[in-house]
Amino acid sequence: MAELTPMMKQYLEIKEQNKDSILFFRLGDFYEMFGSDARTASRELDLTLTTRDKDKNKSFDEKVPMCGIPYHSSEGYIARLIAKGYKVAICEQTEDPATAKGLVKRDIIRVVTPGTVLDDTSLEAGRSNFCAAAWLAEDKAGFAACDISTGQTHATAFSGPDAGVHLLNEVARFSPAEIILNDTAAQDAALRMLTENKLSCHREVREIDGPAARASIAGQFGEKVLSDFPADNFAPLLALGNLLHYLHETQKGDLHHIDTLDFYRQGQFMELDISARRNLELTETLRGKEKKGSLLWVLDKTKTAMGARMLRSWLERPLLSVRDIDRRADCVERLVNDTVTREELALALSGIGDMERLMSRIVYGSAGGRDVVALRAAMEKLPPIKRLLTVFPKGRLQELCRTLDTLDDLAGRIAATLQDEPPFSVREGEFIRDGFHPEVDRLRGILHGGKGLMASMEAQEKEKTGIRTLKIGYNKVFGYYIEVSNSFKDQVPDTYIRKQTLVNGERYITQELKNLESDILTASDRVSALEYELFTDLRTELAGQVSRIQASASAVAELDSLCSLASVAVSNGYCRPTVDDSGVLEIHDGRHPVVEKMRPDALFVPNDTYMGEKEGRAAIITGPNMAGKSTYMRQVALIVLLAQIGSFVPAKSARLGVVDRIFTRIGASDDLSAGQSTFMVEMTEVSDILHAATKDSLLILDEIGRGTSTFDGMSIARAVLEYCADPKKLGAKTLFATHYHELTDMEHSLPGVQNYNIAVRARGEEIIFLRKIVPGGADRSYGIEVARLAGLPEGVIARAKTILRELESEAGKPPAPMQEEADQVSLSSLAETEVLSRLRREQVDTLSPLEALNLLYELKQKLQ
Ligand code: ADP
Ligand code: MG
């Protein structure tokens, strides 16, 4: 094989250590990629693939495929590769090519990964970007997550036979962009399915030992935090240690903004599993995966990105202690009652930049002049907020007022140093404020007044020498010179050094002239370098104040979230619920917070709910399709959830006993991709619920047993309900919607079970949905009427009625065959008609591929 060039050798050495990343290799003004990296990048980024210098065609590296991108526009390219799940290792020239002897030194300055991006192109403003770690060992598990764009870090521990399940829910809650797993966790099938299929998060497998983990945690957060960790479960320690190790390995830069660890215990927050989270559409809709139509969409009226992130995290972590809930709800109530302050606060909060993410970039050293000026603008908005908060004499709002540091000194320091609108680059000068530094001012004077300075020197020399024709000129060969015509040659002073003789004169230089010249020629470089130095001083100083600034940012975020909850409560007519440990759920005129907002023109019919520990513990809800069963059940769950994040709720009044968890089993799932049938998924979910629920849980079970044959389905549904409702077994509060009317007889056999139905009125052939929940089972299912509403052909409807009558009169006996003269509809073509009408109704272009697959599956089943 031909010799490698020295540069290619250097490349291969660096590549060897970064095999799993795409290597961006800095060459002059470009980042170049070689070999398979170049092939990948050219495919993913639509770049042209070339080879180096084909003609010479002798050495190995000259035939290697390559492609490149200009370094100044790299951010967008990196963001695109990260979004596609790649990691990018950035290799820079670490010495100045102009002064380097031989090959320029190069080194990796950072590896950008999905969980560690810092630039705005890759980050979503209202959402944290977590890099997580999970450690699994037999019956112990540990979880840690860090958002390096804000510095926020959490960790927790799980023990016991269900440790793995809790871990799974925690991973789903944080929904990290990237996760570091130990070998055991990496081999866990459920964790793999969740991370790869549902969250599509980037997986890294690493191991770490105890001492190394302790050292990296102590190094990051101080020795003291080690005592937060449980003595009998080392898994969280190893998870966090693994995470920190990975962050340092990839980031290389300063990460001291990651300085507080939130070690939380189980029982502090309500655990929500992935199906509850998705079925209740907390942060995105089930079908479109959009924010619009989710609970967050209704609640989020925050004015800052920091507030948006905090509100989202509240929604993802409802509280469990009445004290914590009341503390938050007290603030919301005060803000609800004080309209003037609430509205002024909303105005004052508007437009505050993302201080948390700006600070991370400042600490990390990647912030530019504009970032720092944006931070100053944010700081300058703090004093009015503090003033507004002084009206609250006590409670958390008063505490926020006290802890909100308005950072005047830092804002002043930035204002004195940087111009109001600095240019994008911090390398080319012109951003330090005039008057801040005498040397900058002097160099700028030279830079801008270069010509003027020469003119005044010319005037001075004329006066000193008395040579009227003396001129200062410039040429490329020896720069500035003084020209004197022959007639004045005798008057030239000794200090003049002759440089050139012309036909009618001589050219000279002087030391003074050359000094001035070098000042002018180098002023530009010197001032840029000096300005950059002054800028990095400022950046370092700000980085030193990171905890102060982050504390203010967090106060702003909390206040913004509270204001958002208050303004939503006011504009949507919510009430403050009484939250206690009574175990009773009592709601008057409750509404579904999202459905009422999605269709503002339609009237939403409010409904009451009563569920006690004994009486009304379980409700069987019947009623025709489309009556509103699912909506009602979700509404109860959402009201409970809202109450437990400290929010007001859509109702006239409510008294809500804290529930430990909310479980849901609703609708079709999309797990066909994982090779499981809908019924199998349904049963797995039900089984998970029955294992994990307690008597303090709220269960929403919607049409259990739908995915199998009638008798199977009904038997399973009855058995599940018996188990849930029976105080000797689970005895949980259960809302159970079913189309099996036969189940309504359980009201008599099981204490605490009550029948409800959602009222409809039949008028002749038509039905009207009343949307009111009333006691008692539904008298009939009105399936045929609903089918008519859906547009089934009249012939089919008529035939269905005949069949129904026959079935009802001689229960069990198969329906009489069709009369010859009747419409030619057999039972099998009935199914076909149903399939056809379903196809007509379906809006194919709004279906996801998975939903389409589900639909196909369902239709096929109908035909069999
Ligand atoms: P079911 O589960 O009984 O088939 P859904 O809960 O899916 O019925 O409700 C069907 C539709 O009825 C919903 O999409 C919603 O628009 C409407 N709806 C449900 N409850 C109400 C209500 N209380 N007030 C107004 N409209 C409602
Ligand atoms: Mg339903």
Side-chain angles (χ1 to χ4, degrees), residues 37-82:
D37 282 357
R39 279 193 209 96
T40 312
S42 76
R43 187 181 63 235
E44 301 286 8
L45 302 173
D46 289 324
L47 300 173
T48 322
L49 206 57
T50 56
T51 47
R52 302 184 72 204
D53 215 5
K54 271 203 192 89
D55 317 341
K56 286 194 223 146
N57 202 17
K58 30 178 209 241
S59 67
F60 159 77
D61 62 277
E62 283 158 353
K63 280 177 280 180
V64 170
M66 62 177 277
C67 64
I69 52 162
Y71 87 98
H72 55 80
S73 59
S74 61
E75 227 178 50
Y77 289 106
I78 296 174
R80 276 161 69 192
L81 288 173
I82 299 301

Side-chain angles (χ1 to χ4, degrees), residues 595 599 603-605 607 624-632 771:
V595 174
R599 307 176 50 205
L603 188 73
F604 191 90
V605 180
N607 271 309
N625 274 319
M626 286 302 288
K629 300 182 295 297
S630 304
T631 308
Y632 173 74
R771 312 281 184 221

Side-chain angles (χ1 to χ4, degrees), residues 233-252:
N233 183 353
F234 49 87
L237 198 95
L238 295 173
L240 182 60
N242 228 357
L243 178 60
L244 291 173
H245 204 260
Y246 181 73
L247 294 181
H248 281 283
E249 185 185 300
T250 53
Q251 300 314 295
K252 323 237 182 231

Side-chain angles (χ1 to χ4, degrees), residues 86 111 145 187 290 325 347 527 530 532 553 616 815 823:
Y86 295 100
V111 183
Q187 280 157 23
E290 288 163 10
I325 295 169
L347 266 177
V527 77
L530 181 58
Y532 184 70
D823 273 1

